[in-house]
Amino acid sequence: LDLLDGAAAEPVRHDMEANLALATQLGDPCWEGVSAEAIGLTHRAEGRLDHAIEWMARGRAMCGRVPDRYVWVQSQILRTEAETAVEAGEEDLATALTELAYVDSMAGRRTNAAASLAEAERLADGDPLLLAAVSSFAGMNLSDWGRLDESIAQYERAIEFSRRAGNTRREIWAAGVGA
């Protein structure tokens, strides 16, 4: 929040590094991940996007290293990391949104996943491989949501897009999960 209020990044980073040290000492993966994400955001504020992405990836790893994963933290960090990667020109937003939707779907955040997938489909620019991924994850999300007829339609789309892209692996995944 300090960054949003216009605070200089370096003092905020110093505070977040202290938070990370304390979280590590306490063995709290959730707080470790949030602290690492905040450190990444300070680098992002300074335009050092490569460092920002590196810290965000660390944060996702920190909060996901225990059996009782903090999926909501991973999802939040992934969203921030995706935005930063797009800003850095490293990844297109449609791919990042598709990955985020997968995480949200796995965590049971159906509406978040559906919104990310709708935006990813809009941005996919007709790319059949990306549309196959979007449709596969939409099918999975809808199935878990109990909307089976819509789910089957999405899996059928995923198989068709996979075939157009010539990606047998994606086709098998969609056929297997949608079976």
Side-chain angles (χ1 to χ4, degrees):
L1 291 176
D2 291 340
L3 288 174
L4 293 175
D5 290 338
E10 189 173 335
V12 173
R13 183 170 39 254
H14 178 71
D15 290 346
M16 292 301 103
E17 288 169 346
N19 285 347
L20 178 58
L22 179 59
T24 302
Q25 183 180 7
L26 294 172
D28 186 335
C30 178
W31 197 244
E32 289 174 27
V34 170
S35 298
E37 178 190 23
I39 291 169
L41 287 170
T42 65
H43 286 290
R44 182 178 173 184
E46 294 175 329
R48 297 174 356 169
L49 302 179
D50 54 335
H51 291 306
I53 293 167
E54 179 183 325
W55 272 101
M56 291 170 198
R58 284 184 193 175
R60 281 189 298 111
M62 288 172 181
C63 66
R65 75 172 188 276
V66 294
D68 183 19
R69 296 174 165 241
Y70 293 91
V71 178
W72 70 271
V73 177
Q74 286 181 308
S75 177
Q76 173 58 41
I77 296 171
L78 180 58
R79 178 176 293 283
T80 307
E81 185 179 358
E83 291 168 357
T84 305
V86 169
E87 189 177 324
E90 291 186 12
E91 189 171 345
D92 68 274
L93 184 56
T95 300
L97 286 169
T98 302
E99 292 174 12
L100 176 62
Y102 178 78
V103 172
D104 281 340
S105 180
M106 295 298 291
R109 291 185 295 274
R110 307 276 166 246
T111 54
N112 290 0
S116 292
L117 288 166
E119 182 68 4
E121 184 170 358
R122 187 183 71 75
L123 297 171
D125 198 29
D127 178 348
L129 187 57
L130 183 54
L131 289 169
V134 168
S135 297
S136 293
F137 298 152
M140 181 179 71
N141 191 48
L142 289 164
S143 176
D144 290 348
W145 211 340
R147 297 164 60 180
L148 300 181
D149 290 339
E150 294 170 84
S151 173
I152 290 168
Q154 286 295 328
Y155 281 123
E156 289 171 350
R157 285 184 74 219
I159 291 168
E160 178 57 34
F161 283 127
S162 297
R163 288 178 179 158
R164 283 188 209 167
N167 191 308
T168 305
R169 182 173 181 260
R170 174 65 67 186
E171 180 182 349
I172 291 168
W173 190 90
V177 175

